[in-house]
Amino acid sequence: MTKSQTTLKGEVDLSNVNTGGNAALHQPLPERLRPRTLGEVVGQQHVLGEGMPLRLAFESGRPHSCILWGPPGVGKTTIARLMADAFDAQFIAISAVLGGVKDIREAVEKAEAARSGLMPQRTIVFVDEVHRFNKSQQDAFLPHVESGLFTFIGATTENPSFEVNSALLSRAAVYVLQSLTPEELQQIVAKAQAIHAVPAIEDEAVERLIAYADGDARRLLNTLETLSITAEQAKIEVMTDAWLLQVLGERMRRYDKGGEQFYDTISALHKSVRGSDPDAALYWLVRMLDGGADPRYMARRIVRMAWEDIGLADPRAIQMANDAAATYERLGSPEGELALAQAVIYLAVAPKSNAGYKAYNQMKALVKSGSTQPVPMHLRNAPTKMMKDMDWGKGYRYAHDEDSGFAAGEDYFPEGMDNPHFYQPVARGMEIKIGEKLERLRQLNAAAAERRKP
């Protein structure tokens, strides 16, 4: 195993990192490494890089209200603070979890005082977790944003189109921030090592820490700080992978979010649902949640299972999966995890069919392998007189005007192409009735074909 005093390929520019003085040494590691300039920000180059929207906003010299939307630990607070520094503005932070209208009122008073003082100053009001404010609390910002009293910056981990009032949303640009990549998290580890905030770390241990952080820089730095304190007390000079597992305990040992075990476990969950074993499916779901899997990721996989392995055999399963995902978004953890568990149980006991999944894949392969066939004339839309004169839509039979609402014998494929009948309903659940109906329709088509014979 190799020891790594820096895991970043190339040099790290630390000229502006605040390392001076004893006061800095007593600051939490995330604060000590908080970027002081845009150039120090790790990640988010899709909005902060040269020529990108947020970088242009900084360079314009004119702050504007915005909402920073992204997962935890990706730099929302840092960007807001940097914006205040760039515009020499008073920075007022409000936590929507702890604050209320009183805090908004105090922010307004401070902004008015800053604007009318001997040295007039702009104000930036930063609202963390803005989605936690209710409608009336969010509305309290509107007149002051419109008047230009202060610039509003909201940070949220939730989709602002659902959680932020449309009136406030219309007055703010939305910037979507992304989870940090493993390479970007590696840069942060290198910066922490470069200011001697952490001891040497084996490369394997660094990889495990980065996987554990899962794109969250704050989680990474808080974990590094805890490990450094523990290593100093235990007189550990090199943090090894084995020591890391020992210190961080069962959570990191039994569930590696970034490694092969993650995919093995989700595979076991999916196969248990497909195999109609509700207890096994529930076991693997709880294993993943207990190990730190993102419940939103689990919700997405559950929806996928419903479409892939149950499909039209029980359309209620798809609705159950979607409802469980929506319930989790509303309740969060741990309350919302019960909805995911109920959905997994339902999917496991539901009748199974992959008929739609197979038909879709077969049709994709067919379309890719063949040339593009023209749409038959009788199926074309004819919105203009010229098109009608060219016989577009001529001969089309309106199914609702036919007996039983079915135009027997009508062909909906390109000319010369036979119906491949890829979709074959299984004899389970609702697809039993679907299969019976399709068989009746095929018999009607066959009878119509016989009548057309000379």
Side-chain angles (χ1 to χ4, degrees):
M1 295 183 181
T2 60
K3 289 185 289 185
S4 172
Q5 196 58 44
T6 175
T7 58
L8 176 64
K9 294 180 180 178
E11 296 182 0
V12 179
D13 180 11
L14 295 170
S15 57
N16 293 316
V17 173
N18 184 3
T19 60
N22 291 331
L25 294 176
H26 292 291
Q27 288 181 319
L29 184 57
E31 193 60 36
R32 291 168 62 189
L33 288 182
R34 187 182 294 279
R36 303 303 194 262
T37 67
L38 273 183
E40 292 180 22
V41 175
V42 175
Q44 313 311 332
Q45 292 309 295
H46 63 292
V47 293
L48 292 176
E50 292 294 334
M52 294 296 105
L54 203 46
R55 168 68 70 113
L56 294 176
F58 273 83
E59 294 172 348
S60 71
R62 297 194 303 273
H64 63 268
S65 294
C66 61
I67 293 173
L68 305 176
W69 172 29
V74 297
K76 297 186 288 292
T77 303
T78 292
I79 290 173
R81 288 184 179 277
L82 288 176
M83 196 174 289
D85 292 341
F87 301 123
D88 190 27
Q90 173 183 220
F91 184 79
I92 301 174
I94 299 174
S95 170
V97 177
L98 304 174
V101 174
K102 177 176 177 291
D103 300 88
I104 299 172
R105 193 177 298 117
E106 290 177 355
V108 170
E109 293 172 356
K110 291 178 181 178
E112 289 173 338
R115 186 174 64 176
S116 60
L118 293 176
M119 300 287 289
Q121 186 181 28
R122 292 168 169 162
T123 297
I124 286 180
V125 175
F126 173 68
V127 182
D128 195 18
E129 304 288 345
V130 64
H131 60 275
R132 302 273 189 166
F133 271 155
N134 60 35
K135 184 180 185 301
S136 63
Q137 290 168 322
Q138 292 183 26
D139 284 345
F141 290 104
L142 289 175
H144 311 296
V145 171
E146 288 182 335
S147 70
L149 176 62
F150 55 69
T151 299
F152 170 85
I153 301 179
T156 179
T157 57
E158 306 296 331
N159 189 329
S161 63
F162 298 141
E163 304 295 342
V164 178
N165 288 355
S166 57
L168 185 57
L169 196 61
S170 68
R171 292 163 176 79
V174 176
Y175 296 106
V176 181
L177 306 188
Q178 300 171 352
S179 296
L180 272 64
T181 66
E183 293 75 20
E184 290 163 349
L185 291 174
Q186 207 169 41
Q187 293 182 41
I188 293 174
V189 174
K191 289 191 174 190
Q193 291 177 314
I195 63 171
H196 307 291
V198 296
I201 313 174
E202 283 182 351
D203 289 340
E204 292 86 347
V206 171
E207 291 176 6
R208 187 177 296 277
L209 274 172
I210 288 172
Y212 179 69
D214 195 27
D216 186 333
R218 184 165 53 243
R219 185 180 191 187
L220 173 67
L221 289 172
N222 286 336
T223 304
L224 274 174
E225 187 165 41
T226 300
L227 290 170
S228 300
I229 294 171
T230 305
E232 183 179 358
Q233 292 173 344
K235 295 183 169 46
I236 299 293
E237 295 183 0
V238 179
M239 290 194 284
T240 66
D241 190 46
W243 181 81
L244 198 70
L245 286 170
Q246 178 185 347
V247 172
L248 291 178
E250 287 296 317
R251 171 161 296 204
M252 183 170 282
R253 179 181 297 113
R254 67 173 177 258
Y255 185 75
D256 178 4
K257 294 177 70 175
E260 186 177 336
Q261 186 180 354
F262 174 89
Y263 300 102
D264 288 345
T265 311
I266 191 66
S267 175
L269 170 60
H270 197 153
K271 288 180 172 66
S272 298
V273 167
R274 184 182 295 147
S276 300
D277 190 327
D279 290 301
L282 192 58
Y283 169 78
W284 292 115
L285 173 71
V286 173
R287 266 274 299 266
M288 296 192 77
L289 293 174
D290 180 63
D294 183 355
R296 291 181 179 85
Y297 170 82
M298 301 305 301
R300 292 194 297 271
R301 290 305 298 253
I302 290 168
V303 172
R304 166 69 186 204
M305 293 173 203
W307 283 105
E308 179 177 338
D309 288 299
I310 297 162
L312 300 182
D314 186 355
R316 293 171 300 180
I318 295 158
Q319 185 63 51
M320 175 75 79
N322 284 325
D323 286 348
T327 298
Y328 181 81
E329 288 297 330
R330 181 177 291 271
L331 297 183
S333 292
E335 291 89 348
E337 292 170 10
L338 175 60
L340 303 183
Q342 298 270 28
V344 161
I345 293 171
Y346 188 93
L347 266 57
V349 300
K352 304 298 187 294
S353 171
N354 69 342
Y357 179 57
K358 286 171 60 179
Y360 170 66
N361 288 330
Q362 289 173 307
M363 196 62 74
K364 277 203 307 182
L366 177 66
V367 170
K368 285 183 178 180
S369 65
S371 58
T372 302
Q373 301 293 323
V375 177
M377 295 296 288
H378 71 287
L379 295 182
R380 298 188 187 187
N381 188 30
T384 68
K385 183 178 183 300
M386 183 189 74
M387 291 176 175
K388 291 177 181 176
D389 291 341
M390 295 172 65
D391 290 340
W392 286 31
K394 184 178 181 180
Y396 170 66
R397 295 163 59 194
Y398 189 56
H400 293 288
D401 292 339
E402 303 278 341
D403 290 341
S404 302
F406 178 66
E410 184 78 322
D411 189 0
Y412 299 98
F413 276 91
E415 291 180 13
M417 180 177 175
D418 293 329
N419 188 337
H421 296 296
F422 286 149
Y423 176 56
Q424 296 292 329
V426 300
R428 292 185 291 274
M430 185 175 172
E431 282 199 326
I432 295 174
K433 293 184 177 180
I434 294 174
E436 291 171 350
K437 178 175 181 178
L438 289 179
E439 181 57 32
R440 288 197 303 273
L441 298 182
R442 286 169 187 159
Q443 290 173 2
L444 291 173
N445 281 333
E450 281 294 324
R451 289 195 297 271
R452 285 199 298 265
K453 288 182 179 180

